[in-house]
Amino acid sequence: MKVRSSVFASFILICEVIGVALFLRGFFPVRTTRVSVKTGPKNPPLLPLITGSSPNSSRLPEPLFKRVVIMLVDALRDDFVFGANGRRNMPYTRHLVERGSSHSYVAKARPPTVTMPRIKALTTGSIPGFIDVVMNLNSPALLEDNLVWQAKTAGKRMVFYGDDTWVRLFPKHFMEHDGTTSFFVSDYTEVDNNVTRHLDSTLKRDDWDILILHYLGLDHIGHISGPHSSLIQPKLLEMDDILKKIHSALISKEAEGSLPYLLVLCGDHGMSETGSHGGSSEAEVNTPLVLISPAFKRKVGMEKPGVVEQVDLTPTLALGLGLPISQNSVGRVIPGVIEETSLRDQLRFLHLNGHQLSCLLKDSTPDYEKEAGFEQFRVAERAHGIWMKLFLDGNTSEVLTNMGKKVLKQYLEALAAMSSALSKQLGKYDMYSMVAGTVFVFQLLLVLLLAMPEALSGEASVDLPVLSALLSLPFYLLCLLLASVHVLVCTSAESSCYFCSLSWGLVFAAVAFSSAMFCILVSMATRRIPLGPTIHGKVIRRNPLGPFGEWSLSELDVLLLAGTVGHTLSLAASSFVEEEHQTWYFLLNTLCLAVFQDVCRKYFREQRGHGDEEEPILPSKDGHHPKAEVCSEKWLALATPPFTLVCCRLLRSLNQTGVQWAHLPDVGHWLNSSEHRTVLSLLAAFCLVLIYLLVQRRCSCVSKVALALGLLGVYSYRAAVGNVLFPWQHSGRTTSKGTVEARFVYVFILGIFFTGTKDLLRSQIVTADAKLKSRGLWEIYSGLVLLVTLLFRAHNLPVLCCCLLIQTLMAQFIWKKLHYDAAQTTIMHYWFGQAFFYFQGNSNNVATVDISVGFVGLESYVEAPAIFLTALSTYAGPLLWACHLVCFLSSQRGRSPVAVGHGCYCLALLRSVPAAAYIVLVTALRYHLFIWSVFSPKLLYESMHLLLTAGVCLFFNTMEQSQSPSKS
C-alpha cells in the first residue's frame, strides 16, 4: 500500500504521541503510600517498656500550643529575611529572629517548587512528584492523610484566607474561608488586601484554633518583574507589618496559665533570579521558617539559621497540637521546638515520630529490616524502654539524665536515616505501561528509519506492506503471544497497572497494532537486505530534493546528520541537559560557517569556469542592468551567514539561561531596570517598526492595516503595564493591567487570521491559485507573529526581530539561490527553532516558564486561554520556524507537493529520534533521585515538542493534499 510521505509521517507521529503518553502514565504514577483519609487515624503506639514492667497506656504528651497562626508568604526566599537586606526588608521580623523568643531555620523545599505540590508537602509531609506540576493547574481534593484533616477530626476550628488552592485541596475543612485566585499574576495588590481585610476582626475573636494565611502578592511581583524589582521591598515591608499586627494581637490575647501560642512564618518555595520558580536552584528551594512563641528561649543575638526539610514542619505541628502525624509523612520533628519540654516528653515525641516513619518504611520497602535507620530505631526503642523503667522506679540520678540524652541522640539519628531512606522512595513505577509505551515508540521509529529512502525519493511516497503483514502467520502468532503476556502480567502484578485497567477492546487493538507493526518492520527490513541501490529491482536515482536518495552525502549533509545525532547522544548526561542551549548555539554557529563555505563556493570557485558567454548584453525593462542585480545579490548572500552569526551572539547576551550561569546579569536585566526604561522604549519601538516591515511585504492591504494597528496596540499595552514609555508619558504614571489595549490587539489578530483563512480556502475550493494560497498562508503566519509580539516581554522583542530577519535573508539568498533540498532546509529550520527556544530565555527548567503571559488581556483566571497563551509563548521559537517552513516549502513552484512531503518526513524523524532515546534514558535512570529535578522536566518538554510537531505535520499533510493533482 503506497502512501504519501506526509501522510505516513503524520500517522507515525500521532501514534508516537499515544506511545509517549502511555509511557508518561507509567513514569508519573500515583504515589504508592497514598492512604485515604476515610480510613481514620490509628491508635498511637504504646510506650516502649521492657518485659515485666507495669502496663502503661498509649499516653500522649500534652499539646504544646493552644493556638497556631501560619503565615505563608508565597515565593518568600530565605535571603529576603536572613540576608544582608533583611533588616531593611522586614525589620520587625528580623528583630524577632535576632532577639525574640523564636527559632529560625532555612527550610529546604524539594522540586518541583510550585505552589500546589508545596502545600501538599506542608500538610502531608510527603514529597510530591513532577506530575503535580500539571495537577497544579486544577487541584483536586486531597485524599491523602494530612494535617488539616487530622485537625478537623480532632475538633480543631480552622480559618483560612488566601490562595484558593487550599480550598480546592481541603473542601469543607475550614469553618470560615475566603479564597483568592492564585493564577492571575498581574494582580499583586488586591490579592493580598483580600486576605488582610479579615485580620482585625478574626484576631479579636476566640472561636478558632488554627489560622492559615496565604499571601500571593510577592510571588506575582516575581513573575512580573523579578526578585530585584522596585516593588519587592514595599511588598516585604507590607508583610512585615502584617506579621507585627498578628504578633501583637496574640500577645494581647495570651492568658496566664494557659498554653502558649505559635506563630509560623514560612514560604512555600523561593524565587529564581528571573522571578519564576519550579526548579531546583538554591534560590528556589531555600525558604525561611521562623517559629515564634513565648515557649521558646529569648535570643541574645543573630544566630546562623539551622537547615531543615520543609516536610519537617508537618510532624512538628502535629505533635505541637497533640495530633497524630500524617501516615505518609517523611518529615522528622524539629528538635528546637520540643527542647523546653521534659526529657520524658521529648523521648515520647521522638518515639511517636519514629514509630510513624518505621511503619511507613515497612509499607514502602520490602527489605525494610535491612535499612540502617530501622535497626537504629529498634535499638533506641529498647534503650528507651530501659530508661522508662528506671524513670518509673523513681531513679533521679545524673546517670539517668545522661542515659536519656544518649537515647535522645539515638532517636534523632534513626529519624534522620529513616527520613532519608523514605525520601528516595518517590513512587512505584508502572513498568508495564512504560515498557508498552517504549515498544510502541521504538517500533514506529524503526519503521520511520527503514522508510527513509522511499520517503525522500522523487515520488515522496512509501510502500507499506500492510496487507501481506496482516495475512501472515507470524501476525496471528504474535497476537496470541502478546495477549498471553498481557494476561500473565495483569494476573500476577502486585499492584494495579494502567494498561491492565483498559477494556479488552482497547487492549486487543493495541496488541494487533504492535503485532502488525512488527511484521511490517520485518518485511521492510527484508527488502533492505540487498545492499545494492535498488528497490523492487528499480535503480534509485539521485533525488534533488533529499540528501538520502543515494548514500553519498555532501559536507553539509554530514554536518546536519552528525549534529542531530550528536545532540541526541548528549542528552544522556544531566549536565548537557541543564546546559542544552550551549549545544544548540555551537551547532548553529557551525551551520552558519558551513553555509558561508557553500556561498563562497557558488559565487567564486564554481563561477570561474563559466566565462562570460551567458552574460546578457541588454538591460532589463526597468532600466537596471542584470549584472548589477547579480552582484548585489552575491554580496547579500555572502553577508547573510556572518550577519546571522552576529545576531546569534547578541541574542546569547540578551537572556542568561541554563543552570550554571543563569544567575549572572544579562542585557535583559539591564534593559528592565527602571533607570533604562527610555532605552527599552526606543528599542521596543524600533523592533515593532522592523517587524512590520519584514512581515507586511506579502500581506494584503487589509492585513497590512490590521498589522500596523495591532503593533501600535502592542506598544500601548506595554506602556499601560509600565514596561515602556510614550514620549508624552511621565515615568511616575500609575500602571494598569492593560486589559483594554491587549483586547484591542486580539481583535486585529483575529482579523488577520480570518483574512488568511479566507484566502487559503478560496485557493483550495474556488480557484487553484498558487499565489492566493501562498498569500493566505503568509497572512496566517503574520497573525501568529502579531500574537507572539503581544505575548513577548518588551526586552525579548529583539529575539523576534532577529528571527524574522534571519528567515527573510536565508529564504531569499540561501535556500533558494543555493538550491538546498527540502530535507536540508527542514533540518536547518529545526536547528534554528531549537536555538531560538533558548534565545527567548527558556531552559529545561520549569522555573523559566513565564506564566504571566497567560493573563494578557484577561481580567480573571480562565484555564483554557491561560494554558494556551503560556504554551504558545514558551514554544514561540520552534513554532515560528516550523510555520515559516510550511510557507517556504509551499511557495516552491513545480516541486511543492514533493517538498512538503519531504519536509514533513524529516520533521517527524528529527523529533522521533530524541524522544525515543530519551524514553530509554529515563527508564534506565528511573531510580536515581536527581532525575526528578533534571530529567523529568526535559521529558515533559520533549513530549510537548513531539505533540507540536505532530500538529505541524498534519498541517503539512493538508497542504500537500490540496496541491496534489486530481487523478481521473
Side-chain angles (χ1 to χ4, degrees):
M1 181 178 71
K2 279 199 171 186
V3 294
R4 295 192 306 273
S5 296
S6 60
V7 176
F8 171 70
S10 302
F11 173 75
I12 293 293
L13 277 175
I14 293 173
C15 293
E16 280 188 350
V17 169
I18 297 174
V20 172
L22 181 60
F23 176 86
L24 291 176
R25 180 58 179 80
F27 185 69
F28 295 118
V30 177
R31 287 181 55 83
T32 58
T33 57
R34 180 156 298 180
V35 180
S36 173
V37 297
K38 297 179 181 179
T39 58
K42 298 180 180 179
N43 293 326
L46 297 174
L47 281 168
L49 295 175
I50 61 174
T51 307
S53 300
S54 58
N56 195 25
S57 64
S58 56
R59 170 186 171 274
L60 288 175
E62 292 295 323
L64 302 179
F65 311 108
K66 180 182 179 181
R67 278 185 167 189
V68 173
V69 178
I70 302 174
M71 182 179 172
L72 194 156
V73 181
D74 211 293
L76 184 65
R77 291 196 336 192
D78 65 321
D79 60 329
F80 288 164
V81 179
F82 304 137
N85 296 324
R87 289 189 181 91
R88 188 176 60 194
N89 293 334
M90 305 183 75
Y92 186 78
T93 304
R94 187 63 177 263
H95 171 73
L96 292 177
V97 168
E98 294 180 358
R99 302 195 176 274
S101 301
S102 64
H103 288 295
S104 305
Y105 303 95
V106 174
K108 295 278 188 179
R110 294 291 185 94
T113 47
V114 292
T115 298
M116 192 273 282
R118 293 300 93 220
I119 295 176
K120 290 174 67 175
L122 287 168
T123 55
T124 65
S126 59
I127 301 176
F130 263 90
I131 192 62
D132 288 303
V133 174
V134 180
M135 302 299 293
N136 186 57
L137 299 173
N138 187 18
S139 310
L142 183 61
L143 300 180
E144 192 174 351
D145 186 14
N146 60 82
L147 181 65
V148 176
W149 182 81
Q150 293 285 2
K152 180 187 176 185
T153 304
K156 301 289 184 182
R157 298 161 297 178
M158 293 177 290
V159 178
F160 171 76
Y161 305 118
D163 186 354
D164 60 358
T165 304
W166 288 79
V167 181
R168 295 197 301 269
L169 286 173
F170 310 107
K172 301 180 181 178
H173 285 65
F174 304 107
M175 77 171 191
E176 183 180 322
H177 64 80
D178 184 13
T180 57
T181 302
S182 59
F183 288 103
F184 190 57
V185 298
S186 299
D187 174 27
Y188 53 84
T189 304
E190 291 298 324
V191 72
D192 286 345
N193 292 340
N194 288 335
V195 178
T196 308
R197 63 191 175 98
H198 298 284
L199 272 184
D200 290 333
S201 59
T202 304
L203 292 174
K204 293 177 182 178
R205 290 158 34 194
D206 296 322
D207 60 345
W208 55 268
D209 302 305
I210 301 175
L211 173 63
I212 303 175
L213 309 170
H214 190 150
Y215 285 93
L216 292 163
L218 184 66
D219 177 67
H220 290 185
I221 291 174
H223 284 296
I224 294 171
S225 53
H228 305 294
S229 167
S230 59
L231 300 172
I232 290 290
Q233 187 179 3
K235 178 57 67 175
L236 291 174
L237 288 171
E238 178 188 345
M239 295 296 102
D240 190 62
D241 290 339
I242 293 170
L243 182 79
K244 182 178 181 180
K245 177 188 291 188
I246 298 172
H247 190 220
S248 301
L250 290 174
I251 292 175
S252 64
K253 284 282 186 179
E254 187 178 8
E256 188 175 351
S258 64
L259 289 175
Y261 62 84
L262 175 66
L263 174 57
V264 180
L265 172 67
C266 62
D268 55 345
H269 51 74
M271 184 188 299
S272 70
E273 288 301 311
T274 61
S276 191
H277 53 88
S280 57
S281 66
E282 289 294 316
E284 294 168 85
V285 301
N286 288 346
T287 64
L289 176 60
V290 182
L291 306 174
I292 307 165
S293 174
F296 305 147
K297 285 183 179 180
R298 184 174 292 274
K299 298 288 184 64
V300 294
M302 183 63 184
E303 300 175 1
K304 184 179 180 180
V307 179
V308 297
E309 292 290 333
Q310 194 180 61
V311 292
D312 293 344
L313 185 61
T314 305
T316 303
L317 290 179
L319 295 175
L321 290 168
L323 303 174
I325 301 175
S326 302
Q327 298 176 42
N328 297 332
S329 171
V330 299
R332 46 199 171 113
V333 65
I334 300 175
V337 177
I338 62 174
E339 66 183 5
E340 297 301 317
T341 62
S342 65
L343 185 56
R344 179 184 182 182
D345 285 347
Q346 290 184 53
L347 292 176
R348 181 56 170 160
F349 283 133
L350 296 178
H351 175 252
L352 291 171
N353 195 184
H355 181 269
Q356 175 264 323
L357 290 175
S358 64
C359 291
L360 185 60
L361 197 62
K362 290 180 183 179
D363 295 337
S364 58
T365 307
D367 299 329
Y368 65 93
E369 293 180 347
K370 297 180 181 179
E371 291 288 343
F374 185 83
E375 181 59 30
Q376 287 177 327
F377 174 69
R378 288 305 178 205
V379 171
E381 197 174 33
R382 287 193 292 269
H384 187 190
I386 297 174
W387 186 90
M388 280 298 302
K389 181 180 184 302
L390 295 174
F391 178 82
L392 293 175
D393 289 343
N395 192 327
T396 58
S397 64
E398 187 178 351
V399 176
L400 183 66
T401 303
N402 293 333
M403 180 182 177
K405 292 180 179 178
K406 183 178 179 181
V407 175
L408 190 73
K409 183 178 179 181
Q410 289 176 334
Y411 267 136
L412 291 175
E413 291 175 353
L415 292 180
M418 287 192 291
S419 177
S420 177
L422 286 167
S423 298
K424 297 176 182 178
Q425 302 290 331
L426 295 178
K428 191 172 183 180
Y429 298 95
D430 183 358
M431 286 303 300
Y432 187 33
S433 299
M434 290 175 64
V435 171
T438 304
V439 170
F440 283 173
V441 170
F442 263 87
Q443 283 182 330
L444 295 165
L445 176 61
L446 291 176
V447 170
L448 200 63
L449 289 172
L450 288 173
M452 185 189 301
E454 293 177 86
L456 296 179
S457 65
E459 296 180 0
S461 62
V462 179
D463 186 10
L464 294 175
V466 177
L467 187 60
S468 60
L470 295 178
L471 297 179
S472 63
L473 179 61
F475 169 73
Y476 298 101
L477 293 177
L478 273 174
C479 287
L480 291 175
L481 177 62
L482 294 179
S484 303
V485 170
H486 177 76
V487 172
L488 181 64
V489 171
C490 293
T491 54
S492 61
E494 297 180 359
S495 61
S496 59
C497 301
Y498 173 73
F499 208 56
C500 296
S501 64
L502 298 177
S503 64
W504 270 104
L506 290 175
V507 171
F508 179 77
V511 167
F513 175 80
S514 182
S515 303
M517 290 304 298
F518 182 80
C519 293
I520 292 173
L521 189 62
V522 173
S523 179
M524 294 179 70
T526 305
R527 291 192 326 206
R528 299 288 181 265
I529 288 178
L531 299 180
T534 60
I535 295 181
H536 298 306
K538 298 180 180 180
V539 177
I540 302 177
R541 300 188 180 276
R542 172 62 178 169
N543 169 30
L545 298 173
F548 304 101
E550 63 182 22
W551 298 107
S552 59
L553 304 177
S554 66
E555 295 173 357
L556 182 64
D557 296 335
V558 173
L559 171 64
L560 294 174
L561 287 175
T564 304
V565 174
H567 164 257
T568 302
L569 296 177
S570 71
L571 297 180
S574 60
S575 298
F576 279 94
V577 174
E578 292 174 341
E579 307 295 331
E580 187 182 359
H581 60 287
Q582 302 286 4
T583 304
W584 286 115
Y585 295 165
F586 172 77
L587 291 177
L588 202 60
N589 292 340
T590 309
L591 175 63
C592 291
L593 294 177
V595 170
F596 184 71
Q597 178 184 346
D598 283 354
V599 174
C600 292
R601 183 183 294 120
K602 173 180 175 60
Y603 285 105
F604 290 102
R605 193 177 70 182
E606 293 182 358
Q607 287 189 353
R608 289 177 181 176
H610 288 289
D612 297 327
E613 63 272 16
E614 296 181 1
E615 180 181 341
I617 300 175
L618 297 175
S620 58
K621 293 181 180 180
D622 55 3
H624 296 285
H625 201 286
K627 186 175 181 179
E629 294 181 358
V630 171
C631 184
S632 61
E633 175 185 297
K634 176 180 70 175
W635 290 112
L636 285 172
L638 286 170
T640 296
F643 177 78
T644 303
L645 281 173
V646 172
C647 287
C648 292
R649 184 61 190 90
L650 293 175
L651 293 180
R652 288 181 63 177
S653 303
L654 187 63
N655 294 301
Q656 290 285 357
T657 185
V659 174
Q660 298 294 330
W661 299 280
H663 64 284
L664 298 178
D666 51 37
V667 178
H669 285 93
W670 186 84
L671 289 172
N672 284 317
S673 60
S674 56
E675 58 268 22
H676 301 126
R677 189 170 297 175
T678 303
V679 179
L680 180 61
S681 303
L682 294 174
L683 179 64
F686 173 77
C687 290
L688 293 176
V689 172
L690 185 58
I691 289 171
Y692 175 77
L693 295 176
L694 292 172
V695 174
Q696 58 84 30
R697 53 195 172 88
R698 293 171 58 184
C699 295
S700 62
C701 294
V702 175
S703 295
K704 289 181 180 179
V705 174
L707 181 63
L709 293 175
L711 291 173
L712 180 62
V714 170
Y715 192 90
S716 301
Y717 167 74
R718 287 298 163 189
V721 298
N723 297 139
V724 299
L725 299 172
F726 278 119
W728 57 86
Q729 180 181 331
H730 297 291
S731 58
R733 177 181 177 272
T734 303
T735 59
S736 68
K737 298 178 183 178
T739 306
V740 176
E741 293 84 352
R743 291 178 177 178
F744 176 81
V745 180
Y746 284 139
V747 171
F748 292 108
I749 292 172
L750 292 176
I752 295 174
F753 278 143
F754 175 79
T755 305
T757 305
K758 181 192 68 174
D759 291 343
L760 196 60
L761 292 176
R762 282 182 57 195
S763 67
Q764 295 183 8
I765 299 174
V766 179
T767 176
D769 188 349
K771 186 176 181 181
L772 184 63
K773 175 181 173 299
S774 178
R775 190 178 71 184
L777 280 173
W778 186 260
E779 286 177 335
I780 293 177
Y781 176 70
S782 304
L784 181 63
V785 170
L786 180 57
L787 179 56
V788 171
T789 307
L790 176 64
L791 298 181
F792 269 19
R793 297 200 179 195
H795 77 277
N796 256 349
L797 289 178
V799 177
L800 184 57
C801 280
C802 290
C803 174
L804 298 174
L805 198 55
I806 292 172
Q807 288 175 353
T808 302
L809 294 175
M810 294 288 286
Q812 187 68 28
F813 302 109
I814 301 298
W815 294 320
K816 284 184 180 179
K817 301 303 179 182
L818 270 65
H819 304 292
Y820 285 139
D821 53 49
Q824 293 169 328
T825 306
T826 300
I827 298 176
M828 290 186 199
H829 274 80
Y830 174 76
W831 282 23
F832 274 106
Q834 294 299 304
F836 272 85
F837 174 80
Y838 295 103
F839 285 146
Q840 293 175 229
N842 293 321
S843 71
N844 292 321
N845 193 331
V846 182
T848 54
V849 177
D850 183 10
I851 65 172
S852 63
V853 299
F855 310 96
V856 175
L858 301 180
E859 290 183 345
S860 61
Y861 173 66
V862 185
E863 186 172 345
I867 295 175
F868 170 76
L869 293 176
T870 303
L872 178 63
S873 174
T874 303
Y875 293 95
L879 183 60
L880 286 175
W881 281 94
C883 292
H884 184 269
L885 179 63
V886 176
C887 296
F888 177 77
L889 293 182
S890 299
S891 66
Q892 300 301 293
R893 298 179 181 178
R895 61 170 186 165
S896 180
V898 177
V900 170
H902 289 185
C904 182
Y905 176 82
C906 289
L907 267 183
L909 191 61
L910 288 169
R911 287 309 325 159
S912 300
V913 172
Y918 218 78
I919 283 178
V920 175
L921 177 66
V922 297
T923 304
L925 299 176
R926 65 188 182 278
Y927 292 118
H928 290 263
L929 185 62
F930 72 89
I931 192 175
W932 294 97
S933 60
V934 178
F935 287 95
S936 297
K938 176 60 178 173
L939 181 61
L940 295 177
Y941 276 123
E942 287 294 321
S943 305
M944 286 297 297
H945 273 299
L946 191 65
L947 185 62
L948 174 66
T949 308
V952 172
C953 278
L954 285 174
F955 191 73
F956 261 126
N957 183 36
T958 305
M959 291 300 98
E960 184 189 15
Q961 189 173 8
S962 67
Q963 294 170 0
S964 299
S966 57
K967 296 180 181 181
S968 58

